[in-house]
Amino acid sequence: MAHRAPSGRAVAPSRRLARRVLFLFTLSLSCSYLCYSLLCCCGGPAAPRARCAPARSAAAAKKLLQKSRACGRPPAEPPGSAAPARRPREPPAAPAGSAPGSARPGSKRLPQAIVVGVKKGGTRAVLEFIRVHPDVRALGTEPHFFDRNYDRGLEWYRNLMPRTLDSQITVEKTPSYFVTKEAPRRIFNMSRDTKLIVVVRNPVTRAISDYTQTLSKKPDIPTFEGLSFRNRSLGLVDTSWNAIRIGMYAVHLQSWLQYFPLSQIHFVSGEKLITDPAGEMGKVQDFLGIRRVITDKHFYFNKTKGFPCLKKTESNSSPRCLGKSKGRTHVQIDPEVIEQLRDFYRPYNIKFYETVGQDFRWE
Ligand SMILES: Nc1ncnc2c1ncn2[C@@H]1O[C@H](COP(=O)(O)OS(=O)(=O)O)[C@@H](OP(=O)(O)O)[C@H]1O
């Protein structure tokens, strides 16, 4: 006996059975794929981070996400380490703007804010503290795009960035930008709206910190006292030595002011960042135009480290201090040399305070 198909064509029972089997097979395949996708996203510890659903999509999802490291906020760079954070490899960026229907939430965007300096000012602390904010995603490594890697092009740069949702801002830090002549123009050409953050610190202490770091890598370098002067008895400071030159903030700032208004540059006091991290971070959040989420509650003073550290929170499974390379014991410097350097920096500091309208009290 033959059944009539809706089209009017007759279908043999064996063909009808075959169609049913095919239909059931396709259905079970689809179900398996659906289950697999769900499990891959939030179940397995090896699941790539980029596949995770947005953390704020639903309360239930949040619970799930908290349980799974793979789905949480990106692990911070080993605290304090200047070495690049190891992140799961991600394929090339999707075009700007979230791809509709894409399994990967958000998209890679050029940074809207950059911590441009200064070296040894406290830039790592600012980055690690600000990335606690749910509306901020930060690149853990220093991309050195506007100084060393500019030839690689903006797409290369954008591809390094973490994915962000529309409500989040992307931040990176590379302290050497502040003293790179071309950096202001290059950043302006990327976006004239880029917000700039500069963490400044007493230039004499900064120079000693810089030298201490170099000495830890190259123990055979000449003494700080020897490197600081072209002629010590004449008090001629060697401004060609980077450790000295970087601290002439007023000079470098002029290059930035040729492209950006002062209102677009925020200065963080490296000293207050240690004594009052919540206060300084409050101002950073205001400058970035984001809610004041990072407050006193996020910090505690670690006596062993001698610095403020991040408390254990919902997203931080344990308290976190910056690494060993941050907060080193400085090399002892001849007090007379320190005095000479204070005298040297004084006019630059005064000019700097006048320009930014802020007294950092480095006297
Ligand atoms: N919370 C906290 N923990 C540890 N260290 C802190 C912190 N806040 C600021 N600082 C100061 O940051 C100094 C290092 O500055 P940077 O991070 O800008 O250094 S670098 O340019 O990235 O190498 C580092 O300088 P040194 O003390 O000379 O090592 C610190 O004094």
Side-chain angles (χ1 to χ4, degrees):
M1 192 180 145
H3 292 270
R4 218 157 253 291
S7 65
R9 268 187 293 141
V11 179
S14 59
R15 279 189 70 192
R16 196 162 155 249
L17 186 69
R19 276 188 186 181
R20 273 192 188 160
V21 169
L22 191 68
F23 170 74
L24 285 173
F25 179 66
T26 314
L27 191 71
S28 72
L29 251 184
S30 308
C31 286
S32 310
Y33 177 71
L34 196 70
C35 291
Y36 169 79
S37 303
L38 283 171
L39 282 173
C40 259
C41 174
C42 293
R49 192 170 48 76
R51 283 196 189 176
C52 299
R56 283 175 287 168
S57 59
K62 206 171 178 183
K63 264 195 167 176
L64 250 183
L65 294 179
Q66 279 163 2
K67 280 186 192 159
S68 162
R69 261 195 75 211
C71 291
R73 280 175 68 74
E77 176 183 357
S81 152
R86 291 188 194 282
R87 288 164 185 255
R89 261 188 171 278
E90 290 184 315
S98 210
S102 156
R104 298 156 144 271
S107 52
K108 297 183 174 206
R109 289 169 233 259
L110 291 168
Q112 292 99 324
I114 306 178
V115 181
V116 294
V118 300
K119 185 182 177 196
K120 305 318 287 179
T123 56
R124 175 55 59 189
V126 167
L127 194 84
E128 292 305 321
F129 297 165
I130 200 63
R131 75 192 308 187
V132 169
H133 199 294
D135 297 343
V136 173
R137 295 291 314 275
L139 177 64
T141 56
E142 291 179 9
H144 284 275
F145 177 62
F146 296 105
D147 54 352
R148 299 183 201 151
N149 292 309
Y150 196 63
D151 290 348
R152 295 181 185 243
L154 272 177
E155 272 313 287
W156 175 86
Y157 184 48
R158 190 165 69 82
N159 201 31
L160 295 178
M161 297 300 153
R163 289 177 181 275
T164 47
L165 305 174
D166 286 344
S167 56
Q168 294 175 313
I169 56 172
T170 307
V171 181
E172 73 114 320
K173 82 119 178 162
T174 305
S176 48
Y177 292 162
F178 191 64
V179 295
T180 302
K181 198 100 195 85
E182 303 80 14
R185 177 177 43 83
R186 290 173 173 177
I187 294 178
F188 178 88
N189 286 342
M190 173 186 74
S191 169
R192 61 192 304 155
D193 297 325
T194 311
K195 293 187 178 185
L196 308 168
I197 296 173
V198 191
V199 192
V200 285
R201 178 182 188 185
N202 183 327
V204 181
T205 327
R206 198 221 66 81
I208 299 170
S209 169
D210 203 339
Y211 175 80
T212 305
Q213 171 164 288
T214 312
L215 192 70
S216 71
K217 294 175 190 162
K218 300 177 195 162
D220 296 335
I221 55 169
T223 61
F224 179 87
E225 291 82 347
L227 289 165
S228 294
F229 296 95
R230 264 188 280 166
N231 185 326
R232 189 172 163 190
S233 46
L234 291 177
L236 267 183
V237 171
D238 190 348
T239 54
S240 69
W241 186 33
N242 254 342
I244 295 290
R245 195 176 68 90
I246 293 171
M248 297 155 70
Y249 304 142
V251 173
H252 307 296
L253 182 59
Q254 287 312 312
S255 319
W256 293 89
L257 292 176
Q258 284 174 19
Y259 290 89
F260 295 94
L262 202 55
S263 57
Q264 226 167 295
I265 312 176
H266 179 72
F267 298 90
V268 175
S269 157
E271 286 81 15
K272 283 196 192 153
L273 187 64
I274 296 167
T275 55
D276 179 19
E280 280 306 296
M281 292 313 292
K283 288 185 257 175
V284 171
Q285 291 168 90
D286 292 348
F287 172 69
L288 294 177
I290 54 179
R291 293 167 294 143
R292 279 197 176 211
V293 169
I294 303 159
T295 63
D296 270 339
K297 291 184 192 121
H298 286 83
F299 301 100
Y300 75 100
F301 189 81
N302 184 307
K303 282 189 194 149
T304 319
K305 174 89 183 160
F307 284 90
C309 299
L310 285 166
K311 273 186 191 162
K312 176 183 183 306
T313 60
E314 240 183 81
S315 49
N316 280 347
S317 52
S318 56
R320 226 156 33 91
C321 293
L322 300 193
K324 283 192 187 124
S325 67
K326 311 293 169 183
R328 287 190 182 101
T329 306
H330 289 178
V331 180
Q332 284 280 326
I333 306 296
D334 180 346
E336 199 182 293
V337 168
I338 293 185
E339 206 46 55
Q340 280 175 295
L341 290 181
R342 275 200 192 130
D343 291 344
F344 165 77
Y345 279 120
R346 190 163 298 114
Y348 294 102
N349 291 346
I350 292 170
K351 176 88 172 99
F352 181 65
Y353 301 164
E354 284 170 1
T355 313
V356 306
Q358 220 173 313
D359 185 344
F360 289 90
R361 304 186 176 277
W362 292 323
E363 297 313 307

